[in-house]
Amino acid sequence: MKRLLLSLSVLLAGPAVASAADLPPRAAPVLPLPAAPAVSWSGWYLGAHGAWLGDSGEAVRTDAAGVAPAALPARAGLRASGLGGGAQVGYLWQVGEVVAGLEADLSALDVGQGRSSLGVDGPFALRTDLSSQLRWFGTLKGRVGLVLPSLAPFVASSLVYVTGGLATAQIEHQGAITVVPPGVGPAARRTGWRPGFVVGAGAEHRLTPSLSLTSETLYYKLADETLTLARAGDRVGYRFKNDGWISRIGLNVRF
C-alpha cells in the first residue's frame, strides 16, 4: 500500500514541477533613481556684458531771435549707433517657477552724431552745427520671469523675463552758429547725466550651477535737454531728444 501511495504522489507532482520549470525567470525589482536637484535662481550674481546701442536722437529748433528762422535748420537728425561694454550686479528671488529680482548695470559707449547746415541771413552766410555724444549708459531695474525647462542640450534651465526701471546716460549736447564773415556767432555746449526709463525683455540660461549666459533688449527714453545759443541780441534755442534701443549679451557668476 505504501508503495502504491508513493507512486501516485510522484505521478501527481511531476507535471507541477515541469510547469514551474517552464516559467520565465522573474526580473529583479527596479528601484527609482533619485531626482536630480532643482536648479535654484535665488542669490547674488555679478557679471560682464557687451552692448550695442542705437540712438534715434534729434535736435528741434524751439525759438529764434535776432536771426532769420529760414537761415536755421528746423530739425536735425542725430541718429547714431555703436558698441560698448560694461558690468552688472543683481539679486534674484525664486518662488516656485516664478523669479523676481533687481539689477544695476553700467555700460561704456561712444555713440554720437553731428549735423551741419548752411543758410543765409541778409548779407551773411550761417553755418549751424549740432551734435550729440553718448558716453555712459546705466540702468536700475526690476525684472520678473518664469523658469522653463532646458532649451538646449548644454543648458540646465532657462529664465525668460520682462524688465523695466530707471535709466541714466552721460550725454554731451553741442550747438554753434558760425557767421561768415566775420566767423563768430552764438554757441553752447552742455555735458551731464540725463535721467530716463527703460522697458524690455530678456532670457538667461544656466550653463553650470554658478555660470549663466544672459541677453536682453531694452527700449530707453531720456529726458529732453534744451540749449540756448546766445550772443549779443541773437538767440536760438534747440531741444535735444534721445531715445532708442540697447541690446546686451553677457555672462553672470552666481555666489
Side-chain angles (χ1 to χ4, degrees):
M1 178 62 71
K2 291 182 180 180
R3 290 180 179 179
L4 179 61
L5 293 175
L6 181 61
S7 300
L8 291 174
S9 300
V10 171
L11 291 175
L12 293 174
V17 172
S19 298
D22 293 337
L23 291 175
R26 294 181 62 185
V30 178
L31 298 178
L33 295 176
V39 177
S40 174
W41 289 86
S42 296
W44 289 96
Y45 63 88
L46 178 69
H49 64 262
W52 171 89
L53 185 141
D55 189 79
S56 301
E58 64 174 354
V60 180
R61 193 182 72 234
T62 58
D63 59 5
V67 183
L72 305 170
R75 184 183 300 269
L78 301 174
R79 183 184 300 270
S81 63
L83 299 173
Q88 66 273 358
V89 62
Y91 188 88
L92 295 177
W93 298 267
Q94 180 173 355
V95 180
E97 302 302 311
V98 178
V99 176
L102 292 172
E103 181 179 282
D105 56 72
L106 184 64
S107 303
L109 300 144
D110 189 11
V111 178
Q113 184 64 270
R115 287 286 184 267
S116 297
S117 64
L118 296 175
V120 177
D121 184 7
F124 301 102
L126 302 182
R127 190 185 76 221
T128 304
D129 297 299
L130 301 166
S131 66
S132 176
Q133 195 78 23
L134 189 153
R135 294 188 174 89
W136 294 93
F137 188 92
T139 71
L140 175 62
K141 59 188 187 297
R143 60 168 164 160
V144 61
L146 293 174
V147 176
L148 301 178
S150 172
L151 301 180
F154 55 85
V155 173
S157 70
S158 297
L159 171 64
V160 178
Y161 62 88
V162 293
T163 183
L166 304 176
T168 184
Q170 187 190 60
I171 306 180
E172 179 186 271
H173 293 133
Q174 187 169 352
I177 298 175
T178 303
V179 183
V180 184
V184 295
R189 180 176 63 184
R190 185 175 299 156
T191 301
W193 292 86
R194 305 302 298 167
F197 69 89
V198 291
V199 291
E204 193 166 353
H205 310 283
R206 294 292 283 272
L207 306 178
T208 70
S210 60
L211 188 66
S212 60
L213 176 68
T214 179
S215 63
E216 66 180 14
T217 297
L218 308 171
Y219 168 76
Y220 69 88
K221 170 66 175 170
L222 303 176
D224 296 347
E225 183 171 45
T226 299
L227 285 186
T228 300
L229 289 63
R231 177 180 178 273
D234 300 336
R235 187 184 74 254
V236 180
Y238 277 96
R239 184 172 70 251
F240 289 80
K241 302 179 179 181
N242 290 94
D243 69 308
W245 297 87
I246 181 170
S247 297
R248 293 185 282 222
I249 183 169
L251 287 173
N252 287 331
V253 178
R254 320 197 91 77
F255 301 99

